[in-house]
Amino acid sequence: MSEPRSELATAFRRLRWVFGGLALISGVVNCLALSGSIFMLQVYDRVLSSRSEATLAALCVLVVLLFGFQGLLEAVRSRVLARIASQVHAELGPRVFRCVLALPLRSAIEDDGLTPVRDLDNLRNFAAGPGPSAFFDLPWMPLYLLFVFVLHPFLGLLATAGALVLVGLTVAAEILSRRPQRVLAAQNVQRISLGLAGRRNAEVLRAMGFGERLTARWLRLNDAFLAEQRRAGDIVGGLGAASRVLRLLLQSLILALGAWLTIRGEVTAGAIIAASIAATRALAPVELAIGQWKSFVAARASWRRLAGLLQALPPPARPLDLPPPVAGLAVEQLSVAAPGQRRPSVRNVSFKLQAGQGLGIIGPSAAGKSSLVRGLVGVWPLLSGTVRLDGAALDQWDETALGRHIGYLPQDVELFAGTVAANIARFEDEPDAAAVIAAATAAGVHGMILRLPDGYETEIGEGGEALSAGQRQRLALARALYRDPFLVVLDEPNSNLDAEGEAALTQAIRGVRARGGIVVVVAHRPAVLVGVDLIAILRDGALQAFGTHQEVMRGRRQPGPARNGPPLAVVEDRKAGVQ
């Protein structure tokens, strides 16, 4: 059974009738391109011998019209190719960007994560450029060679030999450019990754003075990248120069051969010029293809990466809309791994929560707490097990519909450039102003927002740079509470909060429980656990204890097997004063 056609191929295949029209236009253009050769043949062999000015005038008018029509058709072809490129880009753009958003949740990202978007741009730029025109013209090379053969077989053989040499140069460009392009792609990823790491840690580099050493590392990578880029450019540039010189040489050789044949009386003087023009036109698409080979290789690599990505991340099927969850959360034998990893960071965790309950997850560092909550909200892949809301597994929900019922505050808070209100409303097209204010009030940030320069319409900048760390965290809490989601998951929500912020956080947790929602909180500081009624202790990715405060502090382990004696996490939390 043949493999299913990629989405890229399908997008272009839907335009096959347009490509058929372009092929027809290219055929007419290439037939009209013979006008120059035929014109010169007629001028030298008919007009000069007859000395007829009327014939010359008629030929001039005709050739002007033919060349004008040819130019019009080439302009139409160029505009159609540009519109094809734009249409495919517009059709696949949303799909590719969704893959950009999903890719970090499926595998480790080595570069800035926007390679698929750049790949789509590469395809659009190549499709809208002169490269496709060269490929449309290549099948018409035999027409020009046949025309030269008609003038004289020796001229045709010489033109064919030149065409074969140029085709050989094209094949050489393909073979010699493969490895440099692969190396360039890998080196570019390393270069970009190091640059992004430096940008993220600019404060650390400046404060501790090792920015110069990081710059030296980047320069070594950049020098290697530039050296490989020069090698690749030398290959394509050298072959391009060779093709141009060969075309000029071939033109001169055809003139010389034509002159010799004219001396022998085998061709007319007009045939010399006509053969030279036709041979040059025959070789032009090959020369253009060699000149565009670098763009073609880059576009082909982009095609392969995009096709593989779209196949690896197929669009999810639209499931049946489920009613909003109101009853409970069930975690069944859950094992979670980081994207791109097979080793689980959380293993075989099971528990249940009912509406109105709050769970605090505690444990030593690297116990798997953040991994667990990422599995709960469906952002990290599940190796095994299931997370259910009212009995329905998370994958039975439409992603957008599910997000309406989940509020998530990650450990590393990220906000987006825009207004305070837009960030709280999750950038809805038509946000509910009352719901925005209600979420801010529930998070205890309504007063803080009103003190900002423009209140809810204050622009916070990229990443929320206009706000302090505590303000960003509280604003992200309001975003998590927007429209009263059923499940609210908070990962270290008090890491940047002062006493006032912690009090507001506790009140927000109690508010979610009071309205019948479920709250899951990861905490190192015990103050936030005042608002929850259940405690879970993780150690080495396994659930060591689960129950009420009193049950956990007495060392009762629910569920399941654990080591003899109280878990280490319980001892640590007793020392920390968790009640």
Side-chain angles (χ1 to χ4, degrees), residues 87-160:
Q87 180 173 334
V88 172
H89 190 279
E91 179 180 342
L92 293 176
R95 172 84 170 93
V96 170
F97 191 72
R98 292 189 192 101
C99 288
V100 169
L101 299 182
L103 197 57
L105 311 180
R106 296 285 297 273
S107 62
I109 302 297
E110 296 180 344
D111 56 12
D112 61 356
L114 293 178
T115 297
V117 175
R118 284 193 287 269
D119 285 338
L120 188 60
D121 289 341
N122 285 342
L123 288 178
R124 181 197 62 201
N125 293 336
F126 177 76
S133 298
F135 290 105
F136 274 115
D137 290 338
L138 278 173
W140 293 94
M141 281 180 59
L143 174 67
Y144 302 106
L145 297 178
L146 178 62
F147 178 82
V148 179
F149 264 105
V150 169
L151 295 176
H152 196 281
F154 285 178
L155 294 174
L157 288 173
L158 180 58
T160 302

Coordinates of all heavy atoms in Angstrom, one line a residue, residues 87-160:
Q87 N -1.1 31.6 -1.4 CA -2.2 30.8 -1.0 C -1.8 29.6 -0.2 O -2.5 29.3 0.8 CB -3.0 30.3 -2.3 CG -4.2 29.5 -2.0 CD -5.1 29.2 -3.2 OE1 -5.0 30.0 -4.2 NE2 -5.8 28.1 -3.2
V88 N -0.8 28.9 -0.7 CA -0.3 27.7 0.1 C 0.2 28.1 1.5 O -0.1 27.5 2.5 CB 0.8 27.0 -0.7 CG1 1.4 25.9 0.2 CG2 0.2 26.4 -1.9
H89 N 0.9 29.3 1.5 CA 1.4 29.8 2.8 C 0.2 30.1 3.7 O 0.2 29.8 4.9 CB 2.2 31.0 2.6 CG 3.0 31.5 3.8 ND1 2.4 32.2 4.8 CD2 4.2 31.3 4.2 CE1 3.3 32.5 5.7 NE2 4.4 31.9 5.4
A90 N -0.8 30.7 3.2 CA -2.0 31.1 4.0 C -2.8 29.9 4.5 O -3.3 29.8 5.6 CB -2.9 32.0 3.2
E91 N -2.8 28.8 3.6 CA -3.5 27.6 3.9 C -2.8 26.8 5.0 O -3.5 26.3 5.9 CB -3.7 26.8 2.7 CG -4.4 25.5 2.9 CD -4.6 24.6 1.7 OE1 -4.4 25.2 0.6 OE2 -4.8 23.4 1.8
L92 N -1.5 26.7 4.9 CA -0.7 25.9 5.8 C -0.2 26.7 7.0 O 0.2 26.1 8.0 CB 0.4 25.2 5.1 CG 0.1 24.2 4.1 CD1 1.3 23.7 3.4 CD2 -0.7 23.0 4.7
G93 N -0.2 28.0 7.0 CA 0.3 28.8 8.1 C -0.3 28.5 9.4 O 0.5 28.2 10.4
P94 N -1.6 28.5 9.6 CA -2.2 28.1 10.9 C -1.8 26.7 11.4 O -1.5 26.5 12.5 CB -3.7 28.2 10.7 CG -3.8 29.2 9.5 CD -2.7 28.9 8.6
R95 N -1.8 25.8 10.4 CA -1.5 24.4 10.8 C 0.0 24.3 11.3 O 0.3 23.6 12.3 CB -1.7 23.5 9.6 CG -1.2 22.1 9.7 CD -2.2 21.2 10.4 NE -1.8 19.8 10.3 CZ -1.0 19.2 11.2 NH1 -0.7 19.8 12.3 NH2 -0.7 18.0 11.0
V96 N 0.9 25.0 10.6 CA 2.3 25.0 10.9 C 2.5 25.6 12.3 O 3.3 25.1 13.1 CB 3.2 25.6 9.8 CG1 4.6 25.8 10.3 CG2 3.1 24.8 8.6
F97 N 1.8 26.7 12.5 CA 2.0 27.4 13.8 C 1.5 26.6 15.0 O 2.0 26.6 16.1 CB 1.3 28.8 13.8 CG 1.7 29.7 14.9 CD1 3.0 30.2 15.0 CD2 0.8 29.9 16.0 CE1 3.3 31.0 16.1 CE2 1.1 30.7 17.1 CZ 2.4 31.3 17.1
R98 N 0.4 25.9 14.7 CA -0.1 25.0 15.8 C 0.9 23.9 16.1 O 1.1 23.5 17.2 CB -1.4 24.3 15.3 CG -2.6 25.3 15.3 CD -3.9 24.6 15.1 NE -5.0 25.5 14.7 CZ -5.4 25.7 13.5 NH1 -4.9 25.0 12.5 NH2 -6.4 26.6 13.2
C99 N 1.6 23.4 15.0 CA 2.7 22.5 15.3 C 3.8 23.1 16.1 O 4.4 22.5 16.9 CB 3.2 21.9 13.9 SG 2.1 20.8 13.1
V100 N 4.1 24.4 15.8 CA 5.1 25.1 16.6 C 4.8 25.1 18.1 O 5.6 24.9 18.9 CB 5.3 26.5 16.0 CG1 6.2 27.4 17.0 CG2 6.0 26.5 14.7
L101 N 3.5 25.3 18.3 CA 3.0 25.4 19.7 C 3.0 24.0 20.3 O 3.3 23.9 21.6 CB 1.6 26.0 19.8 CG 1.4 27.4 19.3 CD1 0.0 27.9 19.4 CD2 2.4 28.4 20.0
A102 N 2.8 23.0 19.5 CA 2.7 21.6 20.1 C 4.0 20.9 20.2 O 4.2 20.0 21.0 CB 1.8 20.8 19.2
L103 N 5.0 21.3 19.4 CA 6.3 20.6 19.3 C 7.0 20.6 20.6 O 7.6 19.5 21.0 CB 7.1 21.2 18.2 CG 8.3 20.4 17.7 CD1 7.9 19.1 17.2 CD2 9.1 21.1 16.6
P104 N 7.1 21.7 21.4 CA 7.8 21.6 22.7 C 7.2 20.6 23.7 O 7.8 20.2 24.6 CB 7.7 23.1 23.2 CG 7.4 23.9 22.0 CD 6.6 23.0 21.1
L105 N 5.9 20.3 23.5 CA 5.2 19.4 24.3 C 5.4 17.9 23.9 O 5.0 17.0 24.6 CB 3.7 19.7 24.4 CG 3.3 21.1 24.6 CD1 1.8 21.3 24.6 CD2 4.0 21.6 25.9
R106 N 6.1 17.7 22.7 CA 6.3 16.4 22.2 C 7.7 16.0 22.2 O 8.0 14.8 22.2 CB 5.7 16.3 20.8 CG 4.2 16.5 20.7 CD 3.4 15.2 21.3 NE 3.7 14.1 20.4 CZ 3.0 13.8 19.3 NH1 2.0 14.5 18.9 NH2 3.3 12.7 18.6
S107 N 8.6 16.9 22.0 CA 10.0 16.6 21.9 C 10.9 17.8 22.3 O 10.4 18.9 22.4 CB 10.4 16.2 20.4 OG 10.1 17.3 19.6
A108 N 12.1 17.5 22.6 CA 13.1 18.5 23.0 C 13.4 19.5 21.8 O 13.6 19.0 20.7 CB 14.4 17.9 23.6
I109 N 13.4 20.7 22.1 CA 13.7 21.7 21.0 C 15.1 22.2 21.2 O 15.5 22.7 22.3 CB 12.7 22.9 21.1 CG1 11.3 22.4 21.0 CG2 13.0 23.9 20.0 CD1 10.9 21.7 19.7
E110 N 15.9 22.1 20.1 CA 17.3 22.6 20.2 C 17.5 24.0 19.7 O 18.5 24.6 20.0 CB 18.1 21.6 19.3 CG 18.2 20.2 19.8 CD 19.0 19.2 19.0 OE1 19.3 19.7 17.9 OE2 19.3 18.1 19.5
D111 N 16.6 24.5 18.9 CA 16.8 25.9 18.4 C 15.7 26.7 19.0 O 15.1 26.4 20.1 CB 16.8 25.9 16.9 CG 15.5 25.3 16.3 OD1 14.6 25.1 17.1 OD2 15.5 25.1 15.1
D112 N 15.3 27.8 18.3 CA 14.3 28.7 18.9 C 12.9 28.2 18.7 O 11.9 28.9 19.1 CB 14.5 30.1 18.3 CG 14.3 30.1 16.8 OD1 14.1 29.1 16.2 OD2 14.3 31.2 16.2
G113 N 12.7 27.1 18.0 CA 11.4 26.5 17.9 C 10.6 27.0 16.7 O 9.5 26.5 16.4
L114 N 11.2 28.0 16.0 CA 10.4 28.6 14.9 C 10.9 28.1 13.5 O 10.6 28.7 12.5 CB 10.6 30.1 14.9 CG 9.9 30.8 16.1 CD1 10.1 32.3 16.1 CD2 8.4 30.5 16.2
T115 N 11.7 27.0 13.5 CA 12.2 26.5 12.2 C 11.0 26.1 11.3 O 11.1 26.4 10.1 CB 13.1 25.2 12.5 OG1 14.2 25.7 13.2 CG2 13.5 24.6 11.2
P116 N 9.9 25.5 11.8 CA 8.8 25.2 10.8 C 8.3 26.5 10.1 O 7.9 26.4 9.0 CB 7.8 24.6 11.7 CG 8.5 24.0 12.8 CD 9.7 24.9 13.1
V117 N 8.2 27.6 10.9 CA 7.7 28.8 10.3 C 8.7 29.3 9.2 O 8.3 29.7 8.1 CB 7.5 29.9 11.3 CG1 7.1 31.2 10.7 CG2 6.4 29.5 12.3
R118 N 10.0 29.2 9.5 CA 11.0 29.6 8.5 C 11.0 28.7 7.3 O 11.2 29.1 6.2 CB 12.4 29.7 9.2 CG 12.6 30.9 10.0 CD 14.1 31.0 10.4 NE 14.5 30.0 11.4 CZ 14.4 30.2 12.7 NH1 14.0 31.3 13.2 NH2 14.8 29.2 13.5
D119 N 10.7 27.4 7.6 CA 10.6 26.5 6.4 C 9.5 26.8 5.5 O 9.6 26.8 4.3 CB 10.5 25.0 7.0 CG 11.8 24.5 7.5 OD1 12.8 24.9 7.2 OD2 11.7 23.5 8.4
L120 N 8.4 27.2 6.1 CA 7.2 27.6 5.3 C 7.5 28.8 4.5 O 7.2 29.0 3.3 CB 6.0 27.7 6.1 CG 4.7 28.0 5.4 CD1 4.3 26.8 4.5 CD2 3.5 28.2 6.4
D121 N 8.2 29.8 5.1 CA 8.6 31.0 4.4 C 9.6 30.7 3.3 O 9.5 31.3 2.2 CB 9.3 31.9 5.4 CG 8.3 32.6 6.4 OD1 7.1 32.5 6.1 OD2 8.8 33.1 7.4
N122 N 10.5 29.7 3.5 CA 11.5 29.3 2.4 C 10.7 28.7 1.2 O 11.0 29.1 0.1 CB 12.4 28.2 3.0 CG 13.5 28.8 3.9 OD1 13.7 30.0 3.9 ND2 14.1 28.0 4.6
L123 N 9.7 27.9 1.5 CA 8.9 27.3 0.4 C 8.2 28.4 -0.4 O 8.1 28.4 -1.6 CB 7.9 26.3 0.9 CG 8.5 25.0 1.4 CD1 7.4 24.1 2.0 CD2 9.3 24.3 0.3
R124 N 7.6 29.4 0.4 CA 6.9 30.5 -0.3 C 7.8 31.3 -1.1 O 7.5 31.6 -2.3 CB 6.2 31.4 0.8 CG 5.4 32.5 0.2 CD 5.1 33.6 1.2 NE 6.4 34.1 1.7 CZ 6.5 34.8 2.9 NH1 5.5 34.9 3.7 NH2 7.7 35.2 3.3
N125 N 9.0 31.6 -0.6 CA 9.9 32.5 -1.3 C 10.4 31.8 -2.6 O 10.6 32.4 -3.6 CB 11.1 32.9 -0.4 CG 10.7 33.8 0.7 OD1 9.7 34.5 0.6 ND2 11.4 33.8 1.8
F126 N 10.7 30.5 -2.5 CA 11.2 29.8 -3.6 C 10.1 29.7 -4.7 O 10.3 29.9 -5.9 CB 11.7 28.4 -3.2 CG 12.1 27.5 -4.4 CD1 13.4 27.8 -5.0 CD2 11.3 26.6 -4.9 CE1 13.8 27.0 -6.1 CE2 11.7 25.8 -6.0 CZ 13.0 26.1 -6.6
A127 N 8.9 29.3 -4.2 CA 7.8 29.2 -5.2 C 7.4 30.5 -5.9 O 7.0 30.5 -7.0 CB 6.5 28.6 -4.5
A128 N 7.7 31.6 -5.2 CA 7.4 32.9 -5.8 C 8.5 33.5 -6.6 O 8.4 34.5 -7.2 CB 6.9 33.9 -4.7
G129 N 9.7 32.8 -6.6 CA 10.9 33.3 -7.2 C 11.0 32.8 -8.6 O 10.2 32.2 -9.2
P130 N 12.2 33.0 -9.2 CA 12.5 32.6 -10.6 C 12.8 31.1 -10.7 O 12.8 30.6 -11.8 CB 13.7 33.4 -11.0 CG 14.4 33.7 -9.7 CD 13.3 33.8 -8.7
G131 N 13.0 30.4 -9.6 CA 13.4 29.0 -9.7 C 12.3 28.1 -10.4 O 12.6 27.4 -11.3
P132 N 11.0 28.2 -10.0 CA 10.0 27.3 -10.7 C 9.9 27.7 -12.2 O 9.6 26.7 -13.0 CB 8.7 27.7 -9.9 CG 9.2 28.2 -8.6 CD 10.5 28.9 -8.8
S133 N 10.1 28.9 -12.6 CA 10.1 29.2 -14.0 C 11.1 28.5 -14.8 O 10.9 28.0 -15.9 CB 10.3 30.7 -14.2 OG 9.2 31.5 -13.6
A134 N 12.3 28.3 -14.2 CA 13.4 27.6 -14.8 C 12.9 26.1 -15.0 O 13.2 25.5 -16.1 CB 14.7 27.6 -14.0
F135 N 12.3 25.5 -14.0 CA 11.9 24.1 -14.2 C 10.7 24.0 -15.2 O 10.6 22.9 -15.8 CB 11.5 23.6 -12.8 CG 12.6 23.4 -11.9 CD1 12.9 24.3 -10.8 CD2 13.5 22.4 -12.1 CE1 13.9 24.1 -10.0 CE2 14.6 22.2 -11.2 CZ 14.8 23.1 -10.2
F136 N 9.9 25.0 -15.3 CA 8.8 25.0 -16.3 C 9.5 25.1 -17.7 O 8.9 24.5 -18.7 CB 7.9 26.1 -16.1 CG 6.7 25.8 -15.2 CD1 6.6 26.5 -14.0 CD2 5.8 24.8 -15.5 CE1 5.6 26.2 -13.1 CE2 4.8 24.5 -14.6 CZ 4.7 25.2 -13.4
D137 N 10.6 25.8 -17.8 CA 11.2 26.0 -19.2 C 12.1 24.8 -19.6 O 12.4 24.6 -20.8 CB 12.0 27.3 -19.2 CG 11.1 28.5 -19.1 OD1 10.0 28.4 -19.5 OD2 11.6 29.6 -18.7
L138 N 12.6 24.1 -18.6 CA 13.6 23.0 -18.9 C 13.0 22.0 -19.9 O 13.8 21.5 -20.8 CB 14.0 22.3 -17.6 CG 15.1 23.0 -16.8 CD1 15.3 22.3 -15.5 CD2 16.4 23.0 -17.6
P139 N 11.8 21.5 -19.8 CA 11.3 20.5 -20.8 C 11.3 21.0 -22.2 O 11.1 20.2 -23.1 CB 9.8 20.2 -20.3 CG 9.8 20.6 -18.8 CD 10.8 21.8 -18.8
W140 N 11.4 22.4 -22.4 CA 11.3 22.9 -23.8 C 12.7 23.0 -24.4 O 12.8 23.6 -25.5 CB 10.6 24.2 -23.8 CG 9.2 24.1 -23.4 CD1 8.6 24.2 -22.2 CD2 8.1 23.7 -24.3 NE1 7.3 23.9 -22.2 CE2 6.9 23.7 -23.5 CE3 8.0 23.5 -25.6 CZ2 5.7 23.4 -24.0 CZ3 6.8 23.2 -26.2 CH2 5.6 23.1 -25.4
M141 N 13.8 22.6 -23.7 CA 15.1 22.7 -24.3 C 15.2 21.9 -25.6 O 15.8 22.4 -26.6 CB 16.1 22.1 -23.3 CG 16.6 23.0 -22.2 SD 17.8 22.2 -21.1 CE 19.1 21.8 -22.3
P142 N 14.6 20.7 -25.7 CA 14.6 20.0 -27.0 C 14.1 20.8 -28.2 O 14.5 20.6 -29.3 CB 13.9 18.7 -26.8 CG 13.9 18.5 -25.3 CD 13.9 19.9 -24.7
L143 N 13.1 21.7 -27.9 CA 12.5 22.5 -29.0 C 13.6 23.3 -29.6 O 13.7 23.4 -30.9 CB 11.4 23.3 -28.5 CG 10.8 24.3 -29.5 CD1 10.0 23.6 -30.6 CD2 9.8 25.3 -28.7
Y144 N 14.4 24.0 -28.8 CA 15.4 24.9 -29.3 C 16.5 24.1 -30.0 O 17.1 24.5 -31.1 CB 16.0 25.8 -28.2 CG 15.0 26.6 -27.5 CD1 14.5 26.3 -26.2 CD2 14.4 27.7 -28.1 CE1 13.6 27.0 -25.6 CE2 13.5 28.5 -27.5 CZ 13.0 28.1 -26.2 OH 12.1 28.9 -25.6
L145 N 16.9 22.9 -29.4 CA 17.9 22.1 -30.0 C 17.5 21.6 -31.4 O 18.3 21.5 -32.3 CB 18.3 21.0 -29.0 CG 18.9 21.4 -27.7 CD1 19.2 20.2 -26.8 CD2 20.2 22.2 -27.9
L146 N 16.2 21.2 -31.4 CA 15.7 20.7 -32.7 C 15.7 21.8 -33.7 O 16.0 21.6 -34.9 CB 14.2 20.3 -32.5 CG 13.5 19.8 -33.8 CD1 14.2 18.6 -34.4 CD2 12.0 19.4 -33.4
F147 N 15.4 23.1 -33.3 CA 15.5 24.2 -34.3 C 16.9 24.4 -34.8 O 17.1 24.6 -36.0 CB 15.0 25.5 -33.5 CG 15.1 26.7 -34.4 CD1 14.1 27.0 -35.3 CD2 16.2 27.6 -34.3 CE1 14.1 28.1 -36.1 CE2 16.2 28.7 -35.1 CZ 15.2 29.0 -36.0
V148 N 17.9 24.2 -33.9 CA 19.3 24.3 -34.3 C 19.7 23.2 -35.3 O 20.4 23.4 -36.3 CB 20.2 24.4 -33.1 CG1 21.7 24.5 -33.6 CG2 19.9 25.6 -32.2
F149 N 19.2 22.0 -34.9 CA 19.4 20.8 -35.8 C 18.9 21.1 -37.2 O 19.5 20.7 -38.2 CB 18.8 19.6 -35.2 CG 19.8 18.7 -34.4 CD1 19.7 18.7 -33.0 CD2 20.8 18.0 -35.0 CE1 20.6 18.0 -32.3 CE2 21.6 17.2 -34.3 CZ 21.6 17.2 -32.9
V150 N 17.7 21.7 -37.3 CA 17.1 22.0 -38.6 C 18.0 22.9 -39.4 O 18.1 22.7 -40.6 CB 15.7 22.6 -38.4 CG1 15.2 23.1 -39.7 CG2 14.7 21.6 -37.8
L151 N 18.6 23.8 -38.7 CA 19.5 24.8 -39.4 C 20.7 24.0 -40.0 O 21.2 24.2 -41.1 CB 20.0 25.9 -38.5 CG 18.9 26.8 -38.0 CD1 19.4 27.8 -37.0 CD2 18.2 27.6 -39.2
H152 N 21.3 23.1 -39.1 CA 22.4 22.2 -39.6 C 22.7 21.2 -38.5 O 22.8 21.6 -37.3 CB 23.7 23.0 -39.9 CG 24.7 22.3 -40.8 ND1 25.5 21.3 -40.2 CD2 24.9 22.3 -42.1 CE1 26.2 20.8 -41.2 NE2 25.9 21.4 -42.3
P153 N 22.9 20.0 -38.9 CA 23.2 18.9 -37.8 C 24.4 19.2 -37.0 O 24.4 19.0 -35.8 CB 23.4 17.7 -38.7 CG 22.6 17.9 -39.9 CD 22.7 19.4 -40.2
F154 N 25.5 19.8 -37.6 CA 26.7 20.1 -36.8 C 26.4 21.1 -35.8 O 26.9 21.0 -34.6 CB 27.8 20.6 -37.8 CG 28.4 19.5 -38.6 CD1 29.4 19.8 -39.5 CD2 28.0 18.1 -38.4 CE1 30.0 18.8 -40.2 CE2 28.6 17.1 -39.2 CZ 29.6 17.5 -40.1
L155 N 25.6 22.1 -36.1 CA 25.2 23.1 -35.1 C 24.4 22.5 -34.0 O 24.6 22.8 -32.8 CB 24.5 24.3 -35.8 CG 25.2 25.1 -36.8 CD1 24.3 26.1 -37.5 CD2 26.4 25.9 -36.1
G156 N 23.5 21.6 -34.4 CA 22.7 21.0 -33.4 C 23.5 20.1 -32.5 O 23.2 20.1 -31.2
L157 N 24.5 19.4 -33.0 CA 25.3 18.5 -32.2 C 26.1 19.4 -31.2 O 26.3 19.0 -30.0 CB 26.2 17.7 -33.0 CG 25.6 16.5 -33.8 CD1 26.6 15.9 -34.8 CD2 25.0 15.5 -32.9
L158 N 26.7 20.5 -31.6 CA 27.4 21.3 -30.7 C 26.5 21.9 -29.6 O 26.9 21.9 -28.5 CB 28.1 22.5 -31.6 CG 28.9 23.5 -30.8 CD1 30.0 22.8 -30.0 CD2 29.5 24.6 -31.7
A159 N 25.3 22.4 -30.0 CA 24.4 22.9 -29.0 C 24.0 21.8 -28.0 O 23.9 22.0 -26.8 CB 23.2 23.5 -29.6
T160 N 23.8 20.6 -28.5 CA 23.4 19.5 -27.6 C 24.5 19.1 -26.6 O 24.3 18.9 -25.5 CB 23.0 18.3 -28.4 OG1 21.9 18.6 -29.3 CG2 22.6 17.1 -27.5

